[in-house]
Amino acid sequence: FFVNEAMLPRLSLGDPVNIKCDGCGSDIAARITFIARSSEFTPPVIYSLDERSKLVFLIEARTTTPERLRVGQPVSVAVGVPDDRGS
């Protein structure tokens, strides 16, 4: 997923995130495993009701149940929420 530069200082490796998608049922718990050191231009497939910055940073998160997701599947990510390990 991508975040703007204002959100970047609030993220750290290992932070929990929750992933939601159409038809996935319950949220999917994951943890941040990668934070890009350089910015990218906002990919054209990211849409939002709010105005977004033109530069964003790639964040990767891994889940213990990757079989619940597919490559290219649209998802929503909630950052800084407790996961199933009680963090």
Side-chain angles (χ1 to χ4, degrees):
F1 62 98
F2 293 88
V3 299
N4 63 30
E5 61 91 17
M7 178 73 144
L8 196 60
R10 296 186 275 179
L11 302 177
S12 297
L13 293 176
D15 283 354
V17 298
N18 273 351
I19 302 168
K20 297 179 185 218
C21 62
D22 295 339
C24 285
S26 61
D27 292 359
I28 301 168
R31 290 200 171 267
I32 294 175
T33 58
F34 173 81
I35 300 174
R37 298 187 62 77
S38 60
S39 63
E40 303 179 23
F41 286 99
T42 305
V45 297
I46 294 180
Y47 301 102
S48 173
L49 297 176
D50 300 324
E51 185 66 30
R52 291 191 183 251
S53 297
K54 295 293 181 194
L55 296 176
V56 293
F57 293 81
L58 174 67
I59 308 293
E60 293 179 3
R62 295 194 185 265
T63 177
T64 58
T65 56
E67 67 278 359
R68 294 184 59 196
L69 299 168
R70 302 289 176 256
V71 174
Q73 181 178 12
V75 298
S76 297
V77 178
V79 177
V81 293
D83 67 9
D84 59 357
R85 290 182 272 185
S87 313

